Amino acid sequence: KLLMALMGGQALTATELARAGGVTKQTASSHLRRLCEARLLAVEAQGRHRYFRLGDRTVAQLLESLFDVSMRLAGPSAPRFGPRDPAMRRARVCYDHLAGELAVELFEQIGPRCFVEPRHGLQLNAQGIRFFRDFGIDVEALAAQRRALCRTCRDWSARRHHLAGSLGAALLDRFLALGWARH
């Protein structure tokens, strides 16, 4: 729960994380120290406060993968996770890309037209490349990066996939630039 609370990309204090995890401050501090030592988390001191965030993008991808596996093993009777606030369930940020019901709906609408899913992950088809280019996203520049261009991420509240990878992050950035979304 401590790690999942950080998936929104926001840095949180130990007190906020303890509250999110339903544990005491002492228990949270002990876990946070170990997670920092393992480099899963990074900490930044600002005044008397210490802010914790995920170590990097690969930690977020690891958590998404672990969550996906745990959901498959737990099955449909698993307890409800994710934010209780309906607005947070509807739309939020998952590390650096759009998440929530809106992101899932968007991916389910554009996915069949823009992507193919071969054996080794998600790939853009020609129509998808045109779609994102016409929307103002430089797909070629994103593809040249070391990070995966596009991949799925299982939404931890909707339990369905949304778009992640550098394309998912660029899509959120574009929505923010157009004023269609705000943090």
Side-chain angles (χ1 to χ4, degrees):
K1 288 182 180 179
L2 299 178
L3 293 171
M4 291 307 292
L6 295 169
M7 286 297 287
Q10 191 176 23
L12 300 173
T13 65
T15 301
E16 292 167 325
L17 288 166
R19 199 174 308 126
V23 296
T24 65
K25 292 178 191 178
Q26 295 81 4
T27 300
S29 291
S30 173
H31 288 297
L32 292 170
R33 180 179 42 79
R34 290 179 182 155
L35 291 166
C36 285
E37 288 170 359
R39 296 189 201 155
L40 295 174
L41 294 183
V43 64
E44 181 181 332
Q46 185 174 346
R48 63 182 194 142
H49 297 288
R50 293 176 56 194
Y51 292 90
F52 296 87
R53 61 177 170 73
L54 294 179
D56 60 23
R57 187 173 288 122
T58 58
V59 174
Q61 292 171 352
L62 172 67
L63 290 173
E64 291 167 356
S65 296
L66 287 172
F67 185 75
D68 191 24
V69 169
S70 71
M71 291 313 303
R72 279 189 277 130
L73 296 176
S77 63
R80 181 176 170 167
F81 292 104
R84 289 192 174 100
D85 178 6
M88 289 292 289
R89 293 185 81 76
R90 187 80 180 135
R92 66 182 175 282
V93 173
C94 179
Y95 193 66
D96 67 351
H97 54 272
L98 186 63
E101 294 164 354
L102 285 176
V104 169
E105 291 170 20
L106 175 68
F107 183 68
E108 288 176 353
Q109 290 297 312
I110 66 170
R113 293 188 303 251
C114 295
F115 299 100
V116 292
E117 207 162 347
R119 280 186 181 188
H120 303 292
L122 198 62
Q123 291 181 352
L124 275 174
N125 60 25
Q127 184 177 354
I129 291 169
R130 278 191 308 277
F131 174 81
F132 286 103
R133 190 181 300 140
D134 291 347
F135 190 59
I137 295 175
D138 188 348
V139 176
E140 290 78 13
L142 294 175
Q145 294 177 1
R146 187 172 174 205
R147 181 179 184 190
L149 175 63
C150 49
R151 61 182 190 77
T152 59
C153 175
R154 184 174 301 276
D155 194 276
W156 51 282
S157 59
R159 303 293 195 257
R160 298 187 330 258
H161 288 112
H162 58 254
L163 180 63
S166 61
L167 184 59
L171 189 61
L172 174 60
D173 290 344
R174 187 74 177 128
F175 285 177
L176 293 168
L178 291 170
W180 294 3
R182 70 180 191 282
H183 284 285

